[in-house]
Coordinates of all heavy atoms in Angstrom, one line a residue:
M1176 N 133.1 51.0 183.0 CA 132.2 51.3 184.0 C 132.9 51.4 185.3 O 133.1 50.4 185.9 CB 131.1 50.2 184.0 CG 130.0 50.4 185.1 SD 128.7 49.2 185.1 CE 128.8 48.2 183.8
A1177 N 133.3 52.6 185.7 CA 134.1 52.7 186.9 C 133.4 53.7 187.8 O 133.1 54.9 187.4 CB 135.5 53.2 186.6
P1178 N 133.1 53.4 189.1 CA 132.5 54.3 190.0 C 133.5 55.4 190.4 O 134.7 55.2 190.2 CB 132.1 53.5 191.2 CG 132.9 52.2 191.1 CD 133.2 52.0 189.6
D1179 N 133.0 56.4 191.0 CA 133.9 57.5 191.4 C 134.9 57.0 192.4 O 134.5 56.4 193.5 CB 132.9 58.6 192.0 CG 133.7 59.8 192.5 OD1 135.0 59.8 192.6 OD2 133.1 60.8 192.9
P1180 N 136.2 57.1 192.2 CA 137.2 56.6 193.1 C 137.1 57.2 194.5 O 137.7 56.8 195.4 CB 138.5 56.8 192.4 CG 138.2 57.8 191.4 CD 136.8 57.7 191.1
S1181 N 136.5 58.4 194.7 CA 136.4 59.0 196.0 C 135.5 58.4 196.9 O 135.3 58.7 198.0 CB 136.1 60.5 195.8 OG 134.8 60.7 195.3
V1182 N 134.6 57.4 196.3 CA 133.6 56.7 197.1 C 134.3 55.5 197.7 O 134.7 54.6 197.0 CB 132.4 56.3 196.2 CG1 131.4 55.5 197.1 CG2 131.7 57.5 195.6
A1183 N 134.5 55.5 199.0 CA 135.1 54.4 199.7 C 134.0 53.6 200.5 O 133.4 54.1 201.4 CB 136.1 54.9 200.7
P1184 N 133.8 52.4 200.1 CA 132.6 51.6 200.7 C 133.0 51.1 202.0 O 133.4 49.9 202.2 CB 132.4 50.5 199.7 CG 133.7 50.3 199.0 CD 134.3 51.7 199.0
L1185 N 133.0 51.9 203.1 CA 133.4 51.5 204.4 C 132.2 50.9 205.1 O 132.3 50.0 205.9 CB 133.8 52.7 205.2 CG 135.1 53.4 204.7 CD1 135.4 54.7 205.5 CD2 136.2 52.5 204.6
M1186 N 131.0 51.3 204.8 CA 129.8 50.7 205.3 C 129.0 50.3 204.2 O 129.4 50.2 203.1 CB 129.1 51.7 206.3 CG 130.0 52.0 207.5 SD 129.1 52.9 208.8 CE 127.9 51.8 209.4
S1187 N 127.7 50.1 204.4 CA 126.8 49.8 203.3 C 126.8 51.0 202.3 O 126.4 52.1 202.6 CB 125.3 49.5 203.7 OG 124.6 49.1 202.7
T1188 N 127.2 50.7 201.1 CA 127.4 51.8 200.0 C 126.8 51.3 198.7 O 127.0 50.1 198.4 CB 128.9 52.1 199.9 OG1 129.5 52.5 201.1 CG2 129.2 53.2 198.9
H1189 N 126.2 52.3 198.0 CA 125.6 51.9 196.7 C 126.3 52.9 195.7 O 126.4 54.0 196.0 CB 124.1 52.2 196.7 CG 123.4 51.5 197.9 ND1 123.0 50.2 197.7 CD2 123.0 51.9 199.1 CE1 122.4 49.8 198.8 NE2 122.4 50.8 199.6
V1190 N 126.8 52.3 194.6 CA 127.4 53.1 193.5 C 126.5 52.8 192.3 O 126.3 51.7 191.9 CB 128.8 52.7 193.3 CG1 129.4 53.4 192.1 CG2 129.7 52.9 194.6
S1191 N 126.0 53.9 191.7 CA 125.2 53.7 190.5 C 126.1 54.1 189.3 O 126.9 55.0 189.3 CB 124.1 54.8 190.4 OG 123.1 54.5 191.5
V1192 N 126.1 53.2 188.3 CA 126.9 53.3 187.1 C 126.0 53.2 185.9 O 125.1 52.4 185.9 CB 127.9 52.2 187.1 CG1 128.8 52.3 185.8 CG2 128.8 52.3 188.3
V1193 N 126.2 54.1 184.9 CA 125.3 54.1 183.7 C 126.1 53.7 182.5 O 127.2 54.2 182.2 CB 124.7 55.5 183.4 CG1 123.9 55.4 182.2 CG2 123.9 55.9 184.6
T1194 N 125.7 52.6 181.8 CA 126.3 52.1 180.5 C 125.2 51.9 179.5 O 124.2 51.3 179.8 CB 127.0 50.8 180.8 OG1 128.0 50.9 181.9 CG2 127.7 50.3 179.6
D1195 N 125.4 52.4 178.4 CA 124.4 52.3 177.3 C 123.0 52.8 177.8 O 122.1 52.2 177.4 CB 124.4 50.9 176.8 CG 125.7 50.5 176.0 OD1 126.5 51.4 175.7 OD2 125.7 49.3 175.7
G1196 N 123.0 53.8 178.6 CA 121.7 54.4 179.1 C 121.0 53.6 180.1 O 119.9 53.9 180.6
T1197 N 121.7 52.5 180.6 CA 121.1 51.6 181.6 C 121.9 51.8 183.0 O 123.1 51.7 183.0 CB 121.1 50.1 181.2 OG1 120.5 49.9 180.0 CG2 120.5 49.3 182.3
S1198 N 121.2 52.1 184.0 CA 121.8 52.3 185.3 C 121.9 51.0 186.0 O 121.0 50.2 186.1 CB 121.0 53.3 186.1 OG 121.5 53.5 187.4
R1199 N 123.1 50.8 186.6 CA 123.3 49.6 187.4 C 123.8 50.1 188.8 O 124.6 50.9 188.9 CB 124.2 48.6 186.9 CG 123.7 47.9 185.7 CD 124.7 47.2 184.8 NE 124.1 46.7 183.6 CZ 123.7 47.5 182.6 NH1 123.9 48.8 182.6 NH2 123.1 47.0 181.5
V1200 N 123.3 49.4 189.9 CA 123.6 49.8 191.2 C 124.5 48.7 191.8 O 124.1 47.5 191.9 CB 122.4 50.1 192.1 CG1 122.8 50.4 193.5 CG2 121.5 51.2 191.6
F1201 N 125.7 49.0 192.2 CA 126.6 48.1 192.8 C 126.6 48.4 194.4 O 126.8 49.6 194.7 CB 128.0 48.2 192.2 CG 128.1 47.7 190.9 CD1 127.9 48.6 189.8 CD2 128.4 46.4 190.6 CE1 127.9 48.2 188.4 CE2 128.4 46.0 189.2 CZ 128.2 46.9 188.2
T1202 N 126.4 47.4 195.2 CA 126.3 47.6 196.6 C 127.3 46.9 197.4 O 127.7 45.7 197.1 CB 124.9 47.0 197.1 OG1 123.9 47.7 196.3 CG2 124.7 47.3 198.5
W1203 N 127.9 47.5 198.3 CA 128.8 46.9 199.3 C 128.1 46.6 200.6 O 127.4 47.4 201.2 CB 130.0 47.8 199.6 CG 131.1 47.8 198.6 CD1 132.3 47.2 198.7 CD2 131.1 48.5 197.3 NE1 133.0 47.4 197.5 CE2 132.3 48.2 196.6 CE3 130.2 49.3 196.7 CZ2 132.6 48.7 195.4 CZ3 130.4 49.8 195.4 CH2 131.7 49.5 194.8
E1204 N 128.3 45.3 201.1 CA 127.7 45.0 202.3 C 128.4 45.7 203.5 O 129.6 46.0 203.4 CB 127.9 43.5 202.6 CG 127.2 42.6 201.6 CD 125.7 42.4 201.9 OE1 125.4 42.4 203.1 OE2 124.9 42.3 201.0
E1205 N 127.7 46.0 204.6 CA 128.4 46.6 205.7 C 129.5 45.7 206.2 O 129.3 44.5 206.4 CB 127.3 46.8 206.8 CG 127.8 47.6 208.0 CD 126.8 48.0 209.0 OE1 125.6 47.9 208.7 OE2 127.2 48.3 210.1
G1206 N 130.6 46.3 206.5 CA 131.8 45.6 207.0 C 132.6 44.8 206.0 O 133.5 44.1 206.3
A1207 N 132.2 45.0 204.7 CA 133.0 44.2 203.7 C 134.4 44.5 203.7 O 134.8 45.7 203.8 CB 132.4 44.6 202.3
R1208 N 135.2 43.5 203.6 CA 136.7 43.6 203.5 C 137.1 42.6 202.4 O 136.9 41.5 202.4 CB 137.3 43.2 204.8 CG 138.8 43.5 204.8 CD 139.5 42.8 206.0 NE 139.4 41.4 206.1 CZ 140.0 40.6 205.3 NH1 140.9 41.0 204.3 NH2 140.0 39.2 205.4
I1209 N 137.8 43.3 201.4 CA 138.2 42.5 200.2 C 139.7 42.9 200.0 O 140.0 44.1 199.8 CB 137.4 42.9 198.9 CG1 135.9 42.7 199.2 CG2 137.8 42.0 197.7 CD1 135.0 43.2 198.2
E1210 N 140.6 41.9 199.8 CA 141.9 42.2 199.5 C 142.3 41.3 198.3 O 141.9 40.1 198.3 CB 142.8 41.8 200.7 CG 144.3 42.1 200.5 CD 145.2 41.8 201.7 OE1 144.6 41.6 202.8 OE2 146.4 41.8 201.5
V1211 N 143.0 41.9 197.4 CA 143.5 41.2 196.2 C 145.0 41.3 196.2 O 145.6 42.3 196.2 CB 142.9 41.8 194.9 CG1 143.4 41.1 193.7 CG2 141.4 41.8 194.9
R1212 N 145.6 40.1 196.1 CA 147.1 40.0 196.0 C 147.5 39.3 194.8 O 146.9 38.3 194.4 CB 147.6 39.3 197.3 CG 147.3 40.0 198.6 CD 148.0 39.4 199.8 NE 147.7 38.0 199.9 CZ 146.8 37.3 200.6 NH1 146.0 38.1 201.4 NH2 146.7 36.1 200.7
D1213 N 148.6 39.7 194.2 CA 149.2 39.1 193.1 C 150.5 38.3 193.6 O 151.4 38.9 194.0 CB 149.6 40.1 192.0 CG 150.3 39.5 190.8 OD1 150.6 38.3 190.8 OD2 150.6 40.3 189.8
L1214 N 150.4 37.0 193.6 CA 151.6 36.2 194.1 C 152.5 35.8 193.0 O 153.3 34.8 193.2 CB 151.0 35.0 194.9 CG 150.2 35.3 196.1 CD1 149.7 34.0 196.8 CD2 150.9 36.2 197.1
G1215 N 152.4 36.5 191.8 CA 153.4 36.2 190.8 C 153.1 34.9 190.0 O 154.0 34.3 189.4
G1216 N 152.0 34.4 189.9 CA 151.6 33.2 189.2 C 150.1 32.9 189.5 O 149.6 32.1 188.8
E1217 N 149.7 33.5 190.5 CA 148.3 33.4 190.9 C 147.7 34.6 191.6 O 148.5 35.3 192.2 CB 148.0 32.1 191.7 CG 148.7 32.1 193.0 CD 148.5 30.7 193.8 OE1 147.9 29.8 193.1 OE2 148.8 30.6 194.9
I1218 N 146.5 34.9 191.5 CA 145.8 36.0 192.1 C 145.0 35.4 193.3 O 144.3 34.4 193.2 CB 144.9 36.8 191.2 CG1 145.7 37.3 190.0 CG2 144.2 37.9 191.9 CD1 146.8 38.3 190.3
V1219 N 145.2 36.1 194.5 CA 144.4 35.7 195.6 C 143.5 36.7 195.9 O 143.8 37.9 196.1 CB 145.3 35.4 196.9 CG1 144.5 35.1 198.1 CG2 146.4 34.3 196.6
I1220 N 142.2 36.4 196.1 CA 141.1 37.3 196.6 C 140.7 36.8 197.9 O 140.2 35.7 198.0 CB 139.9 37.3 195.6 CG1 140.4 37.8 194.2 CG2 138.8 38.2 196.1 CD1 139.3 37.7 193.1
E1221 N 141.1 37.6 198.9 CA 140.8 37.2 200.3 C 139.7 38.2 200.8 O 139.8 39.4 200.7 CB 142.0 37.3 201.1 CG 141.8 37.0 202.6 CD 143.1 37.2 203.4 OE1 144.0 36.3 203.3 OE2 143.2 38.2 204.0
A1222 N 138.6 37.6 201.3 CA 137.5 38.5 201.8 C 136.8 37.8 203.0 O 136.7 36.6 203.1 CB 136.5 38.7 200.6
N1223 N 136.2 38.7 203.8 CA 135.4 38.2 204.9 C 134.0 37.9 204.2 O 133.8 38.0 203.0 CB 135.2 39.2 206.0 CG 134.6 40.5 205.6 OD1 134.2 40.7 204.5 ND2 134.7 41.4 206.6
A1224 N 133.0 37.4 205.0 CA 131.8 37.0 204.5 C 131.0 38.1 203.8 O 130.4 37.9 202.7 CB 130.9 36.4 205.6
A1225 N 131.1 39.3 204.4 CA 130.4 40.5 203.8 C 131.1 40.8 202.4 O 130.5 41.3 201.5 CB 130.5 41.6 204.7
G1226 N 132.4 40.7 202.4 CA 133.2 40.9 201.2 C 132.9 39.9 200.1 O 132.7 40.3 198.9
L1227 N 132.7 38.7 200.4 CA 132.3 37.7 199.4 C 130.9 37.9 198.9 O 130.7 37.8 197.7 CB 132.4 36.3 200.0 CG 133.8 35.8 200.4 CD1 133.8 34.5 201.1 CD2 134.7 35.6 199.0
K1228 N 130.0 38.3 199.8 CA 128.6 38.7 199.3 C 128.7 39.9 198.4 O 127.9 39.9 197.4 CB 127.7 38.9 200.6 CG 127.4 37.7 201.3 CD 126.6 38.1 202.5 CE 126.4 36.9 203.4 NZ 125.7 37.3 204.7
T1229 N 129.5 40.9 198.7 CA 129.7 42.0 197.9 C 130.1 41.7 196.5 O 129.6 42.1 195.5 CB 130.6 43.0 198.5 OG1 130.1 43.5 199.8 CG2 131.0 44.2 197.6
L1230 N 131.2 40.9 196.4 CA 131.7 40.4 195.1 C 130.7 39.6 194.3 O 130.5 39.8 193.1 CB 133.0 39.6 195.3 CG 134.3 40.4 195.7 CD1 135.4 39.4 196.0 CD2 134.6 41.3 194.5
A1231 N 130.0 38.7 195.0 CA 129.0 37.9 194.4 C 127.9 38.8 193.8 O 127.4 38.6 192.6 CB 128.3 36.9 195.4
G1232 N 127.5 39.8 194.5 CA 126.5 40.8 194.1 C 126.9 41.6 192.8 O 126.2 41.7 191.8
H1233 N 128.2 42.0 192.8 CA 128.8 42.6 191.7 C 128.7 41.8 190.4 O 128.4 42.2 189.4 CB 130.2 43.1 192.0 CG 130.4 44.1 193.0 ND1 129.4 44.9 193.5 CD2 131.6 44.6 193.6 CE1 129.9 45.7 194.4 NE2 131.2 45.5 194.5
L1234 N 129.2 40.5 190.6 CA 129.2 39.6 189.5 C 127.7 39.3 189.0 O 127.5 39.3 187.8 CB 129.9 38.3 189.9 CG 131.4 38.4 190.2 CD1 131.9 37.2 190.8 CD2 132.1 38.8 188.9
L1235 N 126.8 39.2 189.8 CA 125.4 39.0 189.5 C 124.8 40.1 188.7 O 124.1 39.9 187.7 CB 124.5 38.6 190.7 CG 124.7 37.2 191.3 CD1 124.0 37.1 192.6 CD2 124.3 36.1 190.3
R1236 N 125.2 41.4 189.1 CA 124.7 42.5 188.4 C 125.3 42.6 187.0 O 124.6 42.9 186.0 CB 125.0 43.8 189.1 CG 124.1 44.0 190.2 CD 124.5 45.1 191.2 NE 123.7 45.2 192.4 CZ 123.6 44.3 193.4 NH1 124.3 43.2 193.3 NH2 122.8 44.4 194.4
L1237 N 126.6 42.2 186.9 CA 127.1 42.1 185.5 C 126.5 41.0 184.7 O 126.5 41.1 183.4 CB 128.7 42.0 185.6 CG 129.4 43.2 186.1 CD1 130.9 42.9 186.4 CD2 129.4 44.4 185.1
A1238 N 126.1 40.0 185.3 CA 125.5 38.8 184.5 C 124.0 39.0 184.1 O 123.5 38.3 183.3 CB 125.6 37.6 185.4
R1239 N 123.4 40.0 184.7 CA 122.0 40.3 184.4 C 121.7 40.5 182.9 O 122.5 41.0 182.1 CB 121.4 41.5 185.1 CG 121.2 41.2 186.6 CD 120.5 42.4 187.2 NE 120.3 42.1 188.5 CZ 120.2 43.1 189.5 NH1 120.2 44.4 189.1 NH2 120.0 42.7 190.7
D1240 N 120.5 40.0 182.4 CA 120.1 40.2 181.1 C 120.1 41.7 180.8 O 119.7 42.5 181.7 CB 118.7 39.7 180.8 CG 118.7 38.1 180.8 OD1 119.7 37.5 180.7 OD2 117.6 37.5 181.0
G1241 N 120.5 42.1 179.6 CA 120.5 43.4 179.2 C 121.8 44.2 179.5 O 122.0 45.3 179.0
T1242 N 122.7 43.5 180.2 CA 124.0 44.2 180.5 C 124.8 44.0 179.2 O 125.0 42.9 178.7 CB 124.7 43.5 181.7 OG1 123.9 43.6 182.8 CG2 126.0 44.1 182.0
P1243 N 125.3 45.1 178.7 CA 126.1 45.0 177.4 C 127.5 44.3 177.6 O 128.1 44.4 178.7 CB 126.3 46.4 177.0 CG 126.2 47.2 178.2 CD 125.3 46.4 179.2
D1244 N 127.9 43.7 176.5 CA 129.2 43.1 176.5 C 130.3 44.2 176.7 O 130.1 45.3 176.2 CB 129.5 42.6 175.0 CG 130.8 41.8 174.9 OD1 131.1 41.0 175.8 OD2 131.5 42.1 173.9
G1245 N 131.2 43.9 177.5 CA 132.2 45.0 177.9 C 131.9 45.8 179.1 O 132.8 46.5 179.6
A1246 N 130.7 45.6 179.7 CA 130.5 46.4 180.9 C 131.4 45.9 181.9 O 131.7 44.7 182.1 CB 129.0 46.1 181.3
H1247 N 131.9 46.8 182.8 CA 132.9 46.4 183.7 C 132.9 47.3 185.0 O 132.4 48.4 184.9 CB 134.3 46.3 183.2 CG 134.8 47.6 182.6 ND1 134.4 48.1 181.4 CD2 135.6 48.6 183.1 CE1 135.0 49.3 181.2 NE2 135.7 49.6 182.2
L1248 N 133.5 46.9 186.0 CA 133.7 47.6 187.3 C 135.1 47.5 187.7 O 135.6 46.4 187.8 CB 132.7 47.0 188.3 CG 132.7 47.6 189.7 CD1 132.2 49.1 189.7 CD2 131.9 46.8 190.7
H1249 N 135.7 48.6 188.0 CA 137.1 48.7 188.6 C 137.0 48.8 190.1 O 136.4 49.6 190.6 CB 137.8 49.9 188.0 CG 138.1 49.9 186.6 ND1 139.3 49.5 186.1 CD2 137.4 50.1 185.5 CE1 139.4 49.6 184.8 NE2 138.1 50.0 184.4
L1250 N 137.8 47.9 190.7 CA 137.9 47.9 192.1 C 139.4 48.2 192.4 O 140.3 47.5 191.9 CB 137.4 46.6 192.8 CG 136.0 46.2 192.6 CD1 135.7 44.8 193.1 CD2 135.1 47.3 193.2
E1251 N 139.7 49.1 193.3 CA 141.1 49.5 193.6 C 141.1 49.7 195.1 O 140.1 49.8 195.8 CB 141.5 50.7 192.8 CG 141.4 50.5 191.4 CD 141.4 51.7 190.5 OE1 141.1 52.8 191.1 OE2 141.6 51.7 189.3
E1252 N 142.3 49.9 195.7 CA 142.4 50.1 197.1 C 141.7 51.4 197.5 O 141.3 51.5 198.7 CB 143.8 50.1 197.6 CG 144.7 51.2 197.1 CD 146.1 51.0 197.7 OE1 146.3 50.5 198.9 OE2 147.1 51.5 197.1
C1253 N 141.5 52.4 196.6 CA 140.9 53.6 197.0 C 139.3 53.5 196.7 O 138.6 54.4 196.8 CB 141.4 54.9 196.3 SG 141.4 54.7 194.5
N1254 N 138.9 52.3 196.2 CA 137.6 52.1 195.7 C 137.1 50.7 195.9 O 137.0 49.9 195.0 CB 137.5 52.5 194.2 CG 136.2 52.3 193.6 OD1 135.2 52.3 194.3 ND2 136.2 51.8 192.4
G1255 N 137.0 50.3 197.2 CA 136.4 49.0 197.5 C 137.3 47.9 198.0 O 136.9 46.8 198.5
L1256 N 138.6 48.1 197.8 CA 139.6 47.0 198.2 C 140.4 47.5 199.4 O 140.6 48.8 199.6 CB 140.5 46.7 197.0 CG 139.8 46.1 195.8 CD1 140.9 45.7 194.8 CD2 139.0 44.9 196.1
E1257 N 141.0 46.6 200.1 CA 141.9 47.0 201.2 C 143.1 47.6 200.8 O 143.6 47.4 199.6 CB 142.2 45.7 202.0 CG 141.0 45.0 202.7 CD 140.5 45.9 203.9 OE1 141.3 46.2 204.7 OE2 139.3 46.2 203.9
E1258 N 143.8 48.4 201.6 CA 145.0 49.1 201.3 C 146.1 48.0 201.0 O 146.1 47.0 201.6 CB 145.5 49.9 202.5 CG 146.7 50.7 202.3 CD 147.1 51.6 203.4 OE1 146.2 52.0 204.2 OE2 148.3 51.7 203.6
G1259 N 146.8 48.3 199.9 CA 147.9 47.3 199.5 C 147.4 46.4 198.5 O 148.2 45.5 198.0
S1260 N 146.1 46.3 198.1 CA 145.6 45.4 197.1 C 146.0 45.8 195.7 O 146.2 47.0 195.4 CB 144.1 45.4 197.2 OG 143.6 44.8 198.4
V1261 N 146.1 44.9 194.8 CA 146.3 45.2 193.4 C 144.9 45.4 192.9 O 143.9 44.9 193.4 CB 147.0 44.0 192.6 CG1 148.4 43.9 193.2 CG2 146.3 42.7 192.7
G1262 N 144.8 46.1 191.8 CA 143.5 46.4 191.2 C 142.8 45.2 190.6 O 143.4 44.2 190.3
L1263 N 141.5 45.2 190.6 CA 140.7 44.1 190.1 C 139.6 44.7 189.2 O 138.9 45.6 189.6 CB 140.0 43.3 191.3 CG 139.1 42.2 191.0 CD1 139.9 41.1 190.2 CD2 138.4 41.7 192.2
V1264 N 139.4 44.1 188.0 CA 138.4 44.5 187.1 C 137.5 43.4 186.9 O 138.0 42.3 186.5 CB 139.0 45.1 185.7 CG1 137.9 45.4 184.8 CG2 140.0 46.2 185.9
L1265 N 136.2 43.6 187.1 CA 135.2 42.6 186.8 C 134.5 43.0 185.5 O 134.0 44.1 185.4 CB 134.1 42.6 187.9 CG 134.7 42.3 189.4 CD1 133.6 42.4 190.3 CD2 135.4 41.0 189.5
E1266 N 134.6 42.2 184.5 CA 134.1 42.6 183.1 C 133.3 41.5 182.5 O 133.7 40.3 182.6 CB 135.3 42.9 182.2 CG 134.9 43.4 180.9 CD 136.1 43.9 180.0 OE1 137.2 43.9 180.5 OE2 135.8 44.2 178.9
R1267 N 132.2 41.9 181.9 CA 131.4 41.0 181.2 C 131.9 40.8 179.7 O 132.2 41.8 179.1 CB 130.0 41.4 181.1 CG 129.1 40.5 180.3 CD 127.7 40.9 180.4 NE 126.8 40.0 179.6 CZ 125.6 39.7 179.9 NH1 125.1 40.1 181.0 NH2 124.9 38.9 179.2
C1268 N 132.1 39.6 179.3 CA 132.6 39.4 177.9 C 131.8 38.2 177.3 O 132.0 37.1 177.8 CB 134.1 39.1 177.9 SG 134.8 38.7 176.3
D1269 N 130.9 38.5 176.4 CA 130.1 37.5 175.8 C 130.7 36.8 174.6 O 130.2 35.9 174.0 CB 128.7 38.0 175.5 CG 127.9 38.3 176.8 OD1 128.1 37.6 177.8 OD2 127.2 39.3 176.8
D1270 N 131.8 37.4 174.1 CA 132.5 36.8 173.0 C 133.1 35.5 173.3 O 133.7 35.3 174.4 CB 133.5 37.8 172.4 CG 132.9 39.0 171.8 OD1 131.8 39.0 171.5 OD2 133.7 40.1 171.8
E1271 N 133.1 34.6 172.4 CA 133.8 33.3 172.7 C 135.2 33.3 172.2 O 135.6 33.9 171.3 CB 133.0 32.1 172.1 CG 131.6 32.0 172.8 CD 130.9 30.9 172.3 OE1 131.4 30.0 171.6 OE2 129.7 30.8 172.5

């Protein structure tokens, strides 16, 4: 489940994604700033308050009842993350 990479959430942005015939809307808070860094043993997600609310919203949407196992959202520097960030995939996995 990857939104169109040409959509850059600079202000309040909504991205609709369809998986298994179900539409999900992912929203970026106005002014959201999210940076993901790989420090070679740990990943750092640094975000302002709007960015943290944005990530929380994305995770809650993936956690909703009816969301299929394997549903995921790709975030990259051209799609929701600050320049220089490493990619981040948020994925639902109900398998133990």
